[in-house]
Amino acid sequence: MTQFQKSTTVHDIDAENVLASMLAHLREHDLHALQKDNAWHIDYANTQITLQARENSLQATVQSVSPSSLYEGRMLVFYHIQEFSQCEAQAIQWDGDKIELQYPPSFRVVTVAAVSNIGPHLRRVRFRADNLSRFESNDNIHCKLLLPQTGVENPEWPTLAANGVPQFPAGDKRLDMRTYTIRRINAAEGWFDIDFVLHADAGPGSGWAGQAKPGQQIGMSGTGGRTAPARRWMLLAGDETALPAIARIGESLPADTMGRVIIEVQSASDQITLDMPKGMTVQWLHRGNAVAGTTTLLADAVQSCNIPADDSRFVWVGAEFATAQSVRAWLRHTVGLGNKEQLVVAYWRHGMNETQMKKMPAKLASSKTEGQEAGS
Ligand SMILES: Cc1cc2nc3c(=O)[nH]c(=O)nc-3n(C[C@H](O)[C@H](O)[C@H](O)COP(=O)(O)OP(=O)(O)OC[C@H]3O[C@@H](n4cnc5c(N)ncnc54)[C@H](O)[C@@H]3O)c2cc1C
């Protein structure tokens, strides 16, 4: 099988310490390195990474079966060396096979094919794009959308610097990044749907969706983020931002799944038809005139649930930060659910845009690949 290879040697860093910190960090993410012949070897998604510390330099070699997986291995090495050594990006240059990629492999330019309203505050946009198979997985249903500024007719897209690092357009051509759920996808037919909440105080995501028209182009990258694994008993809960994820997770569950679905929306007119297993009861909560993200409606409803002491149960919640925080604390400390039995993600934060939310200190809001898993 063809192997592609690139190597880098980063000089003038505290190589032993950087390597130790990297290995410890990767272990936390279930990437375990094996030591052999004075080097550390990691297997990562069809990619072999070798790391070796020599006095003040750290050498990394990445080998992989395809240019795109080689690129992802290189970026894993790049971002971790940079994070733990605090070196400049230019200090990490690569030698090896000549592979020219136009964009990062996780990036696509996607074109609006159709726009429809599936509720007064929920707009579905169907996008068309080639080569969507990496996005078609029920395990990773989230993506980042890269949204051009209003009125920009010919957007510019991220390019790759010589060392592989994505370079984003700046100024009027800058792209705002927002996180969304791929509601439906058919890679063979080349389309996917995103359901956008049209919310008050619209930011780049909601604002873009409000004016979306067939033919417009945006960028997309991903996928990322965990979802809910199928279990015998499930609780799925969230507000309208989580409705696309809840609908998609529900559709993929075995027909004999038992449990509950709790969704907060503004009013009955925001309710949509869900295709859930028969044994999962669906409850809609209406916040009426209250401002989204300011009530305890959803947290109260979740916390009044009787979570069975079943060894096959899972609770998934996507909601505003304060709700997510309160629910997660309850699940952990009152119900006693372990990390493998629940996933609570802050999908947005009242009074903060997504960029500000992601910049919150780790202790206040530990930022994962997607949204934030609310601290307890
Ligand atoms: C993993 C993940 C998946 C997501 N999937 C979806 C999805 O499929 N569909 C979807 O619509 N959203 C989804 N979201 C939520 C979405 O990313 C946020 O709502 C995001 O803030 C929207 O960006 P924006 O540019 O519209 O607003 P921002 O610029 O981020 O924020 C502007 C202002 O609007 C407020 N705001 C943000 N969201 C809301 C809201 N829902 N209601 C009221 N005020 C709000 C903010 O507090 C801020 O004051 C998801 C989030 C995560 C983390």
Side-chain angles (χ1 to χ4, degrees), residues 164-251:
V165 179
Q167 313 266 284
F168 288 86
D172 293 348
K173 294 276 183 162
R174 74 183 183 280
L175 301 167
D176 289 309
M177 196 183 286
R178 292 291 181 266
T179 309
Y180 282 88
T181 306
I182 301 171
R183 170 66 187 88
R184 279 202 187 90
I185 179 163
N186 187 325
E189 293 178 7
W191 60 262
F192 65 95
D193 290 340
I194 304 269
D195 292 350
F196 294 83
V197 175
L198 302 176
H199 60 81
D201 194 14
S206 175
W208 180 86
Q211 63 76 61
K213 287 171 208 59
Q216 287 175 334
Q217 291 193 313
I218 64 169
M220 175 211 207
S221 114
T223 58
R226 294 182 293 148
T227 61
R231 295 285 184 268
R232 199 165 38 232
W233 190 94
M234 310 270 299
L235 166 61
L236 304 175
D239 60 25
E240 44 278 82
T241 58
L243 197 42
I246 291 174
R248 183 159 171 195
I249 294 167
E251 282 169 10

Coordinates of all heavy atoms in Angstrom, one line a residue, residues 164-251:
G164 N 1.5 23.9 6.0 CA 0.3 23.2 6.1 C -0.8 23.9 6.9 O -1.9 23.5 7.0
V165 N -0.4 24.9 7.6 CA -1.3 25.6 8.5 C -2.4 26.4 7.7 O -2.0 27.1 6.8 CB -0.6 26.5 9.5 CG1 -1.5 27.2 10.4 CG2 0.5 25.7 10.2
P166 N -3.7 26.2 8.1 CA -4.7 27.0 7.3 C -4.6 28.5 7.6 O -4.3 28.9 8.7 CB -6.0 26.4 7.9 CG -5.7 25.2 8.6 CD -4.2 25.3 9.1
Q167 N -4.7 29.2 6.5 CA -4.6 30.7 6.6 C -6.0 31.2 6.2 O -6.5 30.9 5.2 CB -3.7 31.3 5.6 CG -2.4 30.6 5.5 CD -1.3 31.3 6.4 OE1 -0.9 32.3 6.0 NE2 -1.1 30.7 7.5
F168 N -6.6 32.0 7.1 CA -8.0 32.5 6.9 C -7.9 33.9 6.3 O -7.1 34.7 6.7 CB -8.7 32.4 8.2 CG -9.0 31.0 8.6 CD1 -8.1 30.3 9.4 CD2 -10.2 30.5 8.3 CE1 -8.4 29.0 9.8 CE2 -10.5 29.1 8.6 CZ -9.6 28.4 9.4
P169 N -8.9 34.2 5.4 CA -8.9 35.5 4.8 C -9.3 36.5 6.0 O -9.9 36.1 6.9 CB -10.1 35.5 3.8 CG -10.8 34.2 4.0 CD -9.8 33.3 4.8
A170 N -8.8 37.8 5.8 CA -9.0 38.7 6.9 C -9.8 39.9 6.3 O -10.2 40.0 5.2 CB -7.6 39.2 7.4
G171 N -10.0 40.9 7.2 CA -10.7 42.2 6.8 C -12.1 41.9 6.4 O -12.8 41.0 6.9
D172 N -12.5 42.6 5.3 CA -13.9 42.4 4.8 C -14.2 41.0 4.3 O -15.4 40.6 4.1 CB -14.1 43.3 3.6 CG -14.1 44.8 4.0 OD1 -14.1 45.0 5.2 OD2 -14.0 45.7 3.1
K173 N -13.1 40.3 4.0 CA -13.3 38.9 3.5 C -13.3 37.8 4.6 O -13.2 36.6 4.3 CB -12.2 38.6 2.4 CG -12.3 39.4 1.2 CD -13.3 38.8 0.2 CE -13.4 39.6 -1.1 NZ -14.0 39.0 -2.2
R174 N -13.2 38.3 5.8 CA -13.1 37.3 6.9 C -14.3 36.4 7.0 O -15.4 36.8 6.5 CB -12.8 38.0 8.3 CG -14.0 38.7 8.8 CD -13.7 39.4 10.1 NE -14.9 40.0 10.7 CZ -15.4 41.2 10.2 NH1 -14.9 41.8 9.3 NH2 -16.6 41.6 10.8
L175 N -14.1 35.3 7.6 CA -15.2 34.3 7.7 C -15.5 34.1 9.2 O -14.6 34.0 10.0 CB -14.7 32.9 7.1 CG -14.3 33.0 5.6 CD1 -13.6 31.7 5.2 CD2 -15.5 33.2 4.7
D176 N -16.8 34.1 9.5 CA -17.1 33.8 10.9 C -17.5 32.3 11.0 O -18.1 31.8 10.1 CB -18.4 34.6 11.3 CG -18.0 36.1 11.5 OD1 -17.1 36.4 12.2 OD2 -18.7 36.9 10.8
M177 N -17.0 31.7 12.1 CA -17.2 30.3 12.3 C -18.3 30.0 13.3 O -18.2 30.6 14.4 CB -15.9 29.7 12.7 CG -15.9 28.2 12.5 SD -14.4 27.4 13.1 CE -13.2 27.8 11.9
R178 N -19.2 29.2 13.0 CA -20.3 28.8 13.9 C -20.5 27.3 13.8 O -20.3 26.7 12.8 CB -21.6 29.6 13.6 CG -21.5 31.1 13.8 CD -21.5 31.4 15.3 NE -21.4 32.8 15.7 CZ -20.3 33.5 15.9 NH1 -19.1 32.9 15.7 NH2 -20.4 34.7 16.3
T179 N -21.0 26.7 14.9 CA -21.1 25.3 15.0 C -22.6 24.9 14.7 O -23.5 25.5 15.3 CB -20.8 24.8 16.4 OG1 -19.5 25.3 16.7 CG2 -20.7 23.3 16.5
Y180 N -22.8 23.9 13.9 CA -24.1 23.4 13.5 C -24.2 21.9 13.4 O -23.1 21.3 13.4 CB -24.6 24.1 12.2 CG -25.1 25.5 12.5 CD1 -24.2 26.6 12.5 CD2 -26.4 25.8 12.9 CE1 -24.7 27.9 12.8 CE2 -26.9 27.1 13.2 CZ -26.0 28.1 13.1 OH -26.4 29.4 13.4
T181 N -25.4 21.4 13.4 CA -25.6 20.0 13.3 C -26.0 19.6 11.9 O -26.9 20.3 11.3 CB -26.8 19.5 14.3 OG1 -26.5 20.0 15.6 CG2 -27.0 18.0 14.3
I182 N -25.4 18.6 11.4 CA -25.9 18.1 10.0 C -27.2 17.3 10.3 O -27.1 16.2 10.8 CB -24.8 17.2 9.4 CG1 -23.5 18.0 9.2 CG2 -25.3 16.7 8.0 CD1 -22.3 17.2 8.8
R183 N -28.3 17.9 9.9 CA -29.6 17.2 10.2 C -29.8 16.0 9.4 O -30.3 15.0 9.9 CB -30.7 18.3 10.0 CG -32.1 17.8 10.0 CD -32.4 17.3 11.4 NE -33.7 16.6 11.4 CZ -33.9 15.3 11.2 NH1 -32.9 14.5 10.9 NH2 -35.1 14.8 11.2
R184 N -29.5 16.1 8.1 CA -29.6 14.9 7.2 C -28.5 15.0 6.1 O -28.1 16.1 5.8 CB -30.9 14.9 6.4 CG -32.1 14.4 7.1 CD -33.2 13.9 6.2 NE -34.3 13.6 7.0 CZ -35.3 14.5 7.3 NH1 -35.3 15.7 6.9 NH2 -36.3 14.1 8.1
I185 N -28.0 13.9 5.7 CA -27.0 14.0 4.7 C -27.1 12.8 3.7 O -27.4 11.6 4.2 CB -25.6 14.0 5.3 CG1 -24.5 14.0 4.3 CG2 -25.3 12.9 6.3 CD1 -23.1 14.5 4.8
N186 N -26.8 13.0 2.5 CA -26.7 11.9 1.5 C -25.5 12.2 0.6 O -25.5 13.0 -0.3 CB -28.0 11.8 0.7 CG -28.0 10.6 -0.2 OD1 -26.9 10.2 -0.7 ND2 -29.2 10.0 -0.4
A187 N -24.4 11.6 1.0 CA -23.1 11.8 0.3 C -23.2 11.4 -1.1 O -22.6 12.0 -2.0 CB -21.9 11.2 1.1
A188 N -23.8 10.3 -1.4 CA -23.9 9.7 -2.8 C -24.6 10.7 -3.7 O -24.2 10.9 -4.8 CB -24.6 8.4 -2.8
E189 N -25.6 11.4 -3.1 CA -26.4 12.4 -4.0 C -25.8 13.8 -3.8 O -26.3 14.7 -4.5 CB -27.9 12.4 -3.5 CG -28.6 11.0 -3.9 CD -30.0 11.0 -3.5 OE1 -30.5 12.0 -3.0 OE2 -30.6 9.9 -3.6
G190 N -24.9 13.9 -2.9 CA -24.1 15.2 -2.8 C -24.9 16.3 -2.1 O -24.8 17.5 -2.5
W191 N -25.7 16.0 -1.1 CA -26.4 17.1 -0.4 C -26.5 16.8 1.1 O -26.3 15.7 1.6 CB -27.8 17.3 -0.9 CG -28.7 16.1 -0.8 CD1 -29.0 15.2 -1.8 CD2 -29.5 15.6 0.4 NE1 -29.9 14.2 -1.3 CE2 -30.2 14.5 0.0 CE3 -29.6 16.1 1.7 CZ2 -31.0 13.8 0.9 CZ3 -30.5 15.4 2.6 CH2 -31.1 14.3 2.2
F192 N -26.7 17.9 1.9 CA -27.0 17.8 3.3 C -27.8 19.0 3.8 O -27.9 20.0 3.1 CB -25.7 17.7 4.2 CG -24.8 18.9 4.1 CD1 -24.9 19.9 5.1 CD2 -23.9 19.1 3.1 CE1 -24.2 21.1 5.0 CE2 -23.1 20.3 3.0 CZ -23.3 21.2 4.0
D193 N -28.6 18.8 4.9 CA -29.4 19.8 5.4 C -28.9 20.3 6.7 O -28.5 19.5 7.6 CB -30.8 19.3 5.7 CG -31.6 18.9 4.4 OD1 -31.2 19.5 3.3 OD2 -32.5 18.2 4.4
I194 N -29.0 21.6 7.0 CA -28.8 22.2 8.3 C -30.0 23.0 8.7 O -30.6 23.7 7.8 CB -27.6 23.2 8.2 CG1 -26.3 22.6 7.7 CG2 -27.4 23.9 9.6 CD1 -25.4 22.0 8.7
D195 N -30.5 22.8 9.9 CA -31.6 23.5 10.4 C -31.1 24.6 11.3 O -30.5 24.4 12.4 CB -32.6 22.6 11.2 CG -33.3 21.6 10.3 OD1 -33.2 21.7 9.1 OD2 -33.9 20.7 10.9
F196 N -31.3 25.9 10.9 CA -30.8 27.1 11.6 C -32.0 27.6 12.5 O -33.0 27.9 11.9 CB -30.4 28.2 10.7 CG -29.2 27.8 9.8 CD1 -29.3 27.1 8.6 CD2 -28.0 28.3 10.2 CE1 -28.2 26.9 7.8 CE2 -26.8 28.1 9.3 CZ -27.0 27.3 8.2
V197 N -31.7 27.9 13.7 CA -32.6 28.6 14.6 C -32.5 30.1 14.2 O -31.4 30.6 14.1 CB -32.3 28.4 16.1 CG1 -33.2 29.3 16.9 CG2 -32.5 27.0 16.5
L198 N -33.6 30.8 13.9 CA -33.6 32.2 13.6 C -33.9 32.9 15.0 O -35.1 32.9 15.4 CB -34.7 32.5 12.6 CG -34.5 31.8 11.3 CD1 -35.7 32.1 10.3 CD2 -33.2 32.1 10.6
H199 N -32.9 33.3 15.7 CA -33.0 33.8 17.0 C -32.9 35.3 17.1 O -32.4 36.0 16.2 CB -32.1 33.1 18.0 CG -30.6 33.3 17.7 ND1 -29.9 34.4 18.0 CD2 -29.7 32.5 17.0 CE1 -28.7 34.3 17.6 NE2 -28.5 33.2 17.0
A200 N -33.4 35.9 18.2 CA -33.2 37.3 18.5 C -31.7 37.6 18.6 O -30.9 36.7 18.9 CB -33.9 37.7 19.8
D201 N -31.3 38.9 18.4 CA -29.9 39.3 18.5 C -29.1 38.4 17.5 O -28.0 37.9 17.9 CB -29.5 39.1 20.0 CG -28.1 39.7 20.2 OD1 -27.7 40.6 19.4 OD2 -27.5 39.4 21.3
A202 N -29.6 38.3 16.3 CA -28.9 37.3 15.3 C -27.4 37.6 15.1 O -27.0 38.8 15.0 CB -29.6 37.4 14.0
G203 N -26.6 36.6 15.2 CA -25.2 36.7 14.9 C -25.0 36.2 13.5 O -25.9 36.1 12.7
P204 N -23.7 35.9 13.1 CA -23.4 35.5 11.7 C -24.2 34.3 11.3 O -24.5 34.2 10.1 CB -21.9 35.2 11.8 CG -21.4 35.9 13.0 CD -22.5 36.0 14.0
G205 N -24.4 33.3 12.2 CA -25.1 32.1 11.8 C -26.6 32.3 11.5 O -27.0 32.1 10.4
S206 N -27.3 32.8 12.5 CA -28.7 33.1 12.3 C -28.9 34.2 11.3 O -29.9 34.0 10.5 CB -29.2 33.5 13.7 OG -30.6 33.9 13.6
G207 N -28.1 35.2 11.3 CA -28.3 36.3 10.3 C -28.1 35.8 8.9 O -28.8 36.1 8.0
W208 N -27.1 34.9 8.7 CA -26.8 34.4 7.3 C -28.0 33.6 6.9 O -28.5 33.7 5.8 CB -25.6 33.5 7.3 CG -25.3 33.0 5.9 CD1 -24.7 33.6 4.9 CD2 -25.8 31.8 5.4 NE1 -24.7 32.8 3.8 CE2 -25.4 31.7 4.1 CE3 -26.6 30.7 6.0 CZ2 -25.8 30.6 3.2 CZ3 -26.9 29.6 5.1 CH2 -26.5 29.6 3.8
A209 N -28.5 32.7 7.8 CA -29.7 31.8 7.5 C -30.9 32.7 7.1 O -31.6 32.3 6.2 CB -30.0 30.9 8.6
G210 N -31.1 33.8 7.8 CA -32.2 34.6 7.5 C -32.2 35.2 6.1 O -33.3 35.5 5.6
Q211 N -31.1 35.3 5.5 CA -31.0 35.9 4.1 C -30.6 34.8 3.1 O -30.4 35.2 1.9 CB -30.1 37.1 4.1 CG -28.6 36.8 4.4 CD -27.8 36.1 3.3 OE1 -27.7 36.7 2.2 NE2 -27.4 34.9 3.5
A212 N -30.5 33.6 3.5 CA -29.9 32.5 2.6 C -30.7 32.4 1.3 O -32.0 32.3 1.3 CB -29.8 31.2 3.3
K213 N -30.0 32.3 0.2 CA -30.7 32.1 -1.1 C -29.9 31.1 -2.0 O -28.7 31.0 -1.9 CB -30.6 33.4 -2.0 CG -31.6 34.5 -1.5 CD -31.3 35.8 -2.2 CE -31.6 37.0 -1.4 NZ -30.9 37.1 -0.1
P214 N -30.7 30.3 -2.8 CA -30.0 29.3 -3.7 C -28.9 30.0 -4.5 O -29.0 31.1 -4.9 CB -31.1 28.8 -4.6 CG -32.4 29.0 -3.7 CD -32.1 30.2 -2.9
G215 N -27.8 29.2 -4.6 CA -26.6 29.7 -5.3 C -25.5 30.3 -4.5 O -24.4 30.4 -4.9
Q216 N -25.9 30.8 -3.3 CA -24.8 31.3 -2.4 C -23.9 30.2 -1.9 O -24.3 29.1 -1.8 CB -25.5 32.0 -1.1 CG -26.2 33.3 -1.5 CD -26.9 33.8 -0.3 OE1 -27.3 33.1 0.6 NE2 -27.1 35.1 -0.2
Q217 N -22.7 30.6 -1.6 CA -21.7 29.6 -1.1 C -21.2 30.0 0.3 O -21.0 31.2 0.6 CB -20.5 29.6 -2.1 CG -20.9 29.0 -3.4 CD -19.7 28.6 -4.3 OE1 -18.8 29.4 -4.4 NE2 -19.7 27.4 -4.8
I218 N -21.0 29.0 1.1 CA -20.3 29.2 2.4 C -19.2 28.1 2.5 O -19.2 27.2 1.7 CB -21.3 29.2 3.6 CG1 -21.9 27.8 3.7 CG2 -22.3 30.3 3.5 CD1 -22.7 27.6 5.1
G219 N -18.4 28.1 3.6 CA -17.5 27.1 3.8 C -18.0 26.1 4.9 O -18.8 26.5 5.7
M220 N -17.5 24.9 4.9 CA -17.9 24.0 5.9 C -16.7 23.1 6.3 O -15.9 22.8 5.4 CB -18.9 23.1 5.4 CG -19.4 22.0 6.3 SD -19.8 20.6 5.3 CE -21.0 19.8 6.3
S221 N -16.5 22.8 7.6 CA -15.5 21.9 7.9 C -15.9 21.0 9.1 O -16.8 21.3 9.8 CB -14.2 22.8 8.3 OG -13.9 22.7 9.6
G222 N -15.3 19.9 9.2 CA -15.7 19.0 10.2 C -15.3 17.6 9.8 O -14.5 17.4 8.9
T223 N -15.9 16.6 10.4 CA -16.9 16.7 11.5 C -16.3 16.7 12.8 O -15.1 16.6 12.9 CB -17.9 15.5 11.4 OG1 -17.1 14.3 11.6 CG2 -18.6 15.5 10.1
G224 N -17.1 16.8 13.9 CA -16.5 16.7 15.2 C -17.6 16.5 16.2 O -18.8 16.6 15.9
G225 N -17.2 16.3 17.4 CA -18.1 16.2 18.6 C -18.8 14.8 18.7 O -19.0 14.1 17.7
R226 N -19.0 14.4 19.9 CA -19.6 13.1 20.2 C -21.1 13.3 20.1 O -21.6 14.4 20.3 CB -19.2 12.6 21.6 CG -17.7 12.3 21.7 CD -17.4 11.7 23.0 NE -17.6 12.7 24.1 CZ -18.0 12.4 25.3 NH1 -18.3 11.2 25.7 NH2 -18.1 13.4 26.2
T227 N -21.8 12.2 20.0 CA -23.3 12.2 20.1 C -23.7 11.2 21.2 O -22.9 10.8 22.0 CB -24.0 12.0 18.8 OG1 -23.7 10.7 18.4 CG2 -23.7 13.0 17.7
A228 N -24.9 10.7 21.1 CA -25.4 9.8 22.1 C -25.3 8.4 21.5 O -25.9 8.1 20.5 CB -26.8 10.1 22.4
P229 N -24.6 7.5 22.2 CA -24.6 6.1 21.8 C -26.0 5.5 22.1 O -26.6 5.8 23.1 CB -23.5 5.5 22.6 CG -23.4 6.3 23.9 CD -23.9 7.7 23.4
A230 N -26.4 4.5 21.3 CA -27.7 3.9 21.5 C -27.7 3.0 22.8 O -26.7 2.2 23.0 CB -28.1 3.0 20.3
R231 N -28.6 3.2 23.6 CA -28.8 2.4 24.9 C -30.2 2.0 25.0 O -31.1 2.6 24.4 CB -28.4 3.2 26.1 CG -26.9 3.6 26.1 CD -26.0 2.4 26.5 NE -24.6 2.8 26.6 CZ -23.7 2.8 25.6 NH1 -24.1 2.3 24.4 NH2 -22.5 3.1 25.8
R232 N -30.5 1.0 25.9 CA -31.8 0.5 26.0 C -32.8 1.6 26.5 O -33.9 1.8 26.0 CB -31.8 -0.6 27.1 CG -33.1 -1.5 27.0 CD -32.9 -2.8 27.7 NE -32.1 -2.7 29.0 CZ -31.1 -3.4 29.3 NH1 -30.6 -4.3 28.5 NH2 -30.4 -3.2 30.4
W233 N -32.3 2.5 27.4 CA -33.1 3.6 27.9 C -32.4 4.9 27.7 O -31.2 5.1 28.0 CB -33.4 3.5 29.4 CG -34.4 4.5 29.9 CD1 -35.8 4.3 30.0 CD2 -34.2 5.8 30.3 NE1 -36.4 5.4 30.5 CE2 -35.4 6.4 30.7 CE3 -33.1 6.6 30.4 CZ2 -35.6 7.7 31.1 CZ3 -33.2 7.9 30.9 CH2 -34.5 8.5 31.2
M234 N -33.1 5.9 27.0 CA -32.4 7.1 26.7 C -33.3 8.3 27.1 O -34.5 8.3 27.0 CB -32.3 7.3 25.1 CG -31.7 6.1 24.4 SD -29.9 6.1 24.3 CE -29.6 7.6 23.3
L235 N -32.6 9.4 27.5 CA -33.3 10.7 27.7 C -32.6 11.7 26.7 O -31.3 11.8 26.8 CB -33.2 11.2 29.1 CG -33.6 12.7 29.3 CD1 -35.0 13.0 28.9 CD2 -33.4 13.0 30.8
L236 N -33.3 12.3 25.8 CA -32.8 13.3 24.9 C -33.5 14.6 25.3 O -34.7 14.6 25.3 CB -33.0 12.9 23.5 CG -32.6 11.6 23.0 CD1 -33.0 11.3 21.5 CD2 -31.0 11.5 23.1
A237 N -32.7 15.6 25.6 CA -33.4 16.9 25.9 C -32.6 18.1 25.4 O -31.4 18.0 25.2 CB -33.4 17.0 27.5
G238 N -33.3 19.2 25.1 CA -32.7 20.4 24.6 C -33.6 21.4 24.2 O -34.9 21.2 24.3
D239 N -33.1 22.6 23.8 CA -33.9 23.6 23.2 C -33.9 23.5 21.7 O -33.4 22.5 21.2 CB -33.5 25.0 23.7 CG -32.1 25.3 23.4 OD1 -31.6 24.8 22.4 OD2 -31.4 26.1 24.1
E240 N -34.4 24.5 21.0 CA -34.5 24.4 19.6 C -33.2 24.2 18.8 O -33.2 23.7 17.8 CB -35.4 25.5 18.9 CG -35.2 26.9 19.3 CD -35.9 27.3 20.6 OE1 -35.3 27.0 21.7 OE2 -37.0 27.9 20.6
T241 N -32.1 24.7 19.4 CA -30.8 24.5 18.8 C -30.4 23.1 18.8 O -29.6 22.6 17.9 CB -29.7 25.3 19.5 OG1 -29.6 24.9 20.8 CG2 -29.9 26.8 19.4
A242 N -30.9 22.3 19.7 CA -30.6 20.9 19.8 C -31.6 20.0 19.1 O -31.4 18.8 19.0 CB -30.6 20.5 21.3
L243 N -32.7 20.7 18.6 CA -33.7 19.9 17.9 C -33.2 19.1 16.7 O -33.5 17.9 16.5 CB -34.8 20.9 17.5 CG -36.2 20.4 17.1 CD1 -36.7 19.3 18.0 CD2 -37.2 21.6 17.1
P244 N -32.3 19.7 15.9 CA -31.8 18.9 14.7 C -31.0 17.7 15.2 O -31.1 16.6 14.7 CB -30.8 19.9 14.0 CG -31.3 21.3 14.4 CD -31.9 21.1 15.8
A245 N -30.2 17.8 16.3 CA -29.5 16.7 16.8 C -30.4 15.7 17.4 O -30.3 14.5 17.2 CB -28.4 17.2 17.9
I246 N -31.4 16.1 18.2 CA -32.3 15.2 18.8 C -33.1 14.4 17.7 O -33.2 13.2 17.8 CB -33.3 15.9 19.8 CG1 -32.5 16.5 21.0 CG2 -34.5 15.1 20.2 CD1 -33.3 17.3 21.9
A247 N -33.5 15.1 16.7 CA -34.3 14.5 15.6 C -33.4 13.4 14.9 O -33.8 12.3 14.7 CB -34.7 15.5 14.6
R248 N -32.1 13.8 14.7 CA -31.2 12.8 14.0 C -30.9 11.6 14.9 O -30.9 10.5 14.4 CB -30.0 13.6 13.5 CG -29.1 12.7 12.7 CD -28.1 13.4 11.8 NE -27.2 12.4 11.3 CZ -26.0 12.7 10.7 NH1 -25.7 14.0 10.6 NH2 -25.2 11.8 10.3
I249 N -30.6 11.9 16.1 CA -30.2 10.8 17.0 C -31.4 9.9 17.2 O -31.3 8.7 17.1 CB -29.8 11.3 18.4 CG1 -28.5 12.1 18.3 CG2 -29.7 10.2 19.4 CD1 -28.2 12.9 19.6
G250 N -32.6 10.5 17.4 CA -33.9 9.7 17.5 C -34.1 8.8 16.4 O -34.4 7.6 16.5
E251 N -33.9 9.3 15.1 CA -34.2 8.5 13.9 C -33.2 7.3 13.8 O -33.5 6.3 13.2 CB -33.9 9.3 12.7 CG -35.1 10.3 12.4 CD -34.7 11.3 11.3 OE1 -33.6 11.2 10.7 OE2 -35.5 12.2 11.1

